[in-house]
Amino acid sequence: MYGRSRTNRSDNKQIRFKCTLQNTIADVLRSRGWYEVKEDSGEWDFYWADVGWMKEVFDHCYMEEHMRLNHFRNHYELTRKNLMAKNLKRLKKLIEREHGKLEGTKCDFFPTTFELPSDYHIFVEEFKRSPNSTWIMKPIAKSQGKGIFLFRKLKDITDWRKEDSWRIDGTRDDREPVENYVVQKYIDNPYLIGGRKFDIRCYVLVTSYIPLKVWLYRSGFARMSNSRYSSDSIEDTYVHLTNVAIQKTAPDYDPEKGCKWSLVQLRTYLLAKHGPEAIETLFRSMDDIFVKSLQSVQKIMINDKHCFELYGYDVLIDETLKPWLLEINASPSLSASNQQDYDLKFKLLHDVLTTIDMEGRLTGKEKTIGGFDLMWNDGPVHCDELTMEGVQLPHYTTNTALGCFNDRENNLKKLMRSYSATNTK
């Protein structure tokens, strides 16, 4: 068990919280000196709920002005794999119609995607146009790599062939329907480090959809595969899937070393290999992915002033330094694989709660809160000054610093000093 000591708040009003998880987020909530309300009783001010609660209870729950909750009602529009693809395709068509096909290419950051079995025949046409391609199948509503497999032959997915449920003789086919999957063209030219594939986990906090207000966390990590990459062995999940839940079952997995690099390590490595201009372009492209994906659901997301969402974005870089959006998680794992992982998630969640500002300490004009940088506030946010260490200052002016030095403690101290000074006037 990884942990930290608890601290107590001296504020007059104690915030009451409920939490369905007993991992890092519970530790963070308790460390702030808030009062914990038991799951089945009591009134609360802040609730870290699971998505099941949102589905079953939210619509029947009265919420007072100050109460806050960690999901939007229809968060799944962005985080279910089939709906994410549908919404991104719609955004691309809208941009092409209004601004032309060239502008629409800026949405080409997710792989060619179809939903099965409903899009089976359309998929087959695309499959035949690229006979030597590798494809990847993913269940639409599962996580941690469950149910994922790669294939190169149609015979491997015959269960998803869409057929009429009535036979020629007029009797109904009573076979169990297959689980819905998305099928995507597999990115078979990933950028490799030490011969191994990796993807990047980034954290994005949305505090409002109307207007859209987005915060990007500076820290995150790259998840490495435990085995050297080869496009020949498509059955080997240790080669192709970087999920920690998969990799930790490898025979030679070391839980203390893990298979992770911090984003600072990754950015520093890439800068040394490719220079600042190429890496600035890469990270600007990732910023575009975060914003455009959120814009794709902005008009259909049920905005509620009580709600916020911490998304876990999974991005893969190919050998040309092009970033690809793999998926977005509404419930990114908050369990720690080792002490370093725990420290990252503890600080992340502490900064989420500071940004949500249940205590009413902030002015609302902040551009940086702890490790979070405000990247979009009904339009792009430009930086005044970026604090970085060991990394050349970038030329761009957008208020993001993904993978740069996270000077969160000094920032938090400044915010608290400002709050104290205002409060004593």
Side-chain angles (χ1 to χ4, degrees), residues 200 202 281-290 315 323 402:
I200 302 171
C202 304
T281 300
L282 166 63
F283 279 83
R284 290 307 98 205
S285 298
M286 290 173 64
D287 285 350
D288 287 342
I289 288 175
F290 304 141
V315 177
L402 185 65

Side-chain angles (χ1 to χ4, degrees), residues 251-346:
D252 55 346
Y253 177 78
D254 184 338
E256 285 307 310
K257 291 182 180 179
C259 294
K260 291 181 180 179
W261 271 15
S262 72
L263 281 191
V264 172
Q265 285 177 287
L266 178 64
R267 184 165 186 149
T268 303
Y269 174 87
L270 293 173
L271 277 167
K273 294 277 286 185
H274 302 283
E277 186 175 345
I279 303 312
E280 286 171 25
T281 300
L282 166 63
F283 279 83
R284 290 307 98 205
S285 298
M286 290 173 64
D287 285 350
D288 287 342
I289 288 175
F290 304 141
V291 172
K292 282 189 168 60
S293 61
L294 294 166
Q295 288 175 330
S296 76
V297 297
Q298 185 180 8
K299 292 182 179 179
I300 59 175
M301 194 66 69
I302 300 171
N303 191 61
D304 190 309
K305 63 185 178 183
H306 301 100
C307 301
F308 66 93
E309 194 93 43
L310 176 66
Y311 294 106
Y313 275 72
D314 292 339
V315 177
L316 181 138
I317 301 171
D318 70 20
E319 62 187 7
T320 70
L321 294 181
K322 174 182 170 64
W324 295 87
L325 175 62
L326 299 182
E327 61 182 64
I328 306 171
N329 300 276
S331 300
S333 173
L334 303 179
S335 298
S337 56
N338 54 36
Q339 186 65 48
Q340 183 181 12
D341 197 37
Y342 180 88
D343 290 341
L344 166 65
K345 290 174 180 175
F346 190 99

Side-chain angles (χ1 to χ4, degrees), residues 221 223 241-249 253 259-260 337:
F221 50 85
R223 303 179 297 188
L241 304 184
T242 60
N243 310 68
V244 174
I246 299 289
Q247 294 297 326
K248 70 181 182 181
T249 63
Y253 177 78
C259 294
K260 291 181 180 179
S337 56

Side-chain angles (χ1 to χ4, degrees), residues 113-128:
T113 304
F114 302 92
E115 183 177 356
L116 300 185
S118 60
D119 294 339
Y120 181 82
H121 295 303
I122 303 172
F123 161 68
V124 170
E125 291 176 13
E126 180 65 28
F127 180 90
K128 290 178 179 177

Side-chain angles (χ1 to χ4, degrees), residues 95-299:
I95 292 174
E96 288 177 343
R97 188 164 62 247
E98 294 183 352
H99 304 287
K101 286 191 175 293
L102 182 62
E103 192 69 19
T105 59
K106 293 181 180 179
C107 288
D108 289 341
F109 53 74
F110 63 101
T112 302
T113 304
F114 302 92
E115 183 177 356
L116 300 185
S118 60
D119 294 339
Y120 181 82
H121 295 303
I122 303 172
F123 161 68
V124 170
E125 291 176 13
E126 180 65 28
F127 180 90
K128 290 178 179 177
R129 281 195 287 267
S130 310
N132 298 316
S133 295
T134 303
W135 296 81
I136 185 167
M137 288 279 283
K138 303 176 182 179
I140 64 171
K142 289 183 179 176
S143 59
Q144 299 183 324
K146 297 187 183 85
I148 296 178
F149 64 92
L150 278 64
F151 70 95
R152 291 188 180 127
K153 298 178 180 178
L154 284 176
K155 68 179 182 61
D156 294 331
I157 59 161
T158 52
D159 287 345
W160 284 270
R161 186 166 53 213
K162 188 180 180 185
E163 296 175 339
D164 198 314
S165 58
W166 294 92
R167 298 189 181 96
I168 296 175
D169 61 6
T171 60
R172 189 172 181 83
D173 187 345
D174 293 326
R175 289 180 301 175
E176 281 286 320
V178 293
E179 183 179 1
N180 281 17
Y181 268 61
V182 294
V183 57
Q184 295 179 319
K185 186 170 284 188
Y186 184 64
I187 300 163
D188 57 7
N189 64 331
Y191 191 99
L192 304 179
I193 295 179
R196 289 168 170 79
K197 179 182 173 181
F198 67 94
D199 69 4
I200 302 171
R201 166 58 59 87
C202 304
Y203 295 100
V204 175
L205 175 66
V206 177
T207 52
S208 169
Y209 269 99
I210 303 176
L212 185 60
K213 192 168 185 177
V214 185
W215 302 80
L216 177 63
Y217 203 61
R218 293 188 181 190
S219 299
F221 50 85
R223 303 179 297 188
M224 309 282 182
S225 64
N226 207 54
S227 304
R228 294 181 68 84
Y229 179 78
S230 169
S231 58
D232 297 329
S233 53
I234 63 172
E235 299 85 9
D236 191 340
T237 55
Y238 297 132
V239 169
H240 298 282
L241 304 184
T242 60
N243 310 68
V244 174
I246 299 289
Q247 294 297 326
K248 70 181 182 181
T249 63
D252 55 346
Y253 177 78
D254 184 338
E256 285 307 310
K257 291 182 180 179
C259 294
K260 291 181 180 179
W261 271 15
S262 72
L263 281 191
V264 172
Q265 285 177 287
L266 178 64
R267 184 165 186 149
T268 303
Y269 174 87
L270 293 173
L271 277 167
K273 294 277 286 185
H274 302 283
E277 186 175 345
I279 303 312
E280 286 171 25
T281 300
L282 166 63
F283 279 83
R284 290 307 98 205
S285 298
M286 290 173 64
D287 285 350
D288 287 342
I289 288 175
F290 304 141
V291 172
K292 282 189 168 60
S293 61
L294 294 166
Q295 288 175 330
S296 76
V297 297
Q298 185 180 8
K299 292 182 179 179

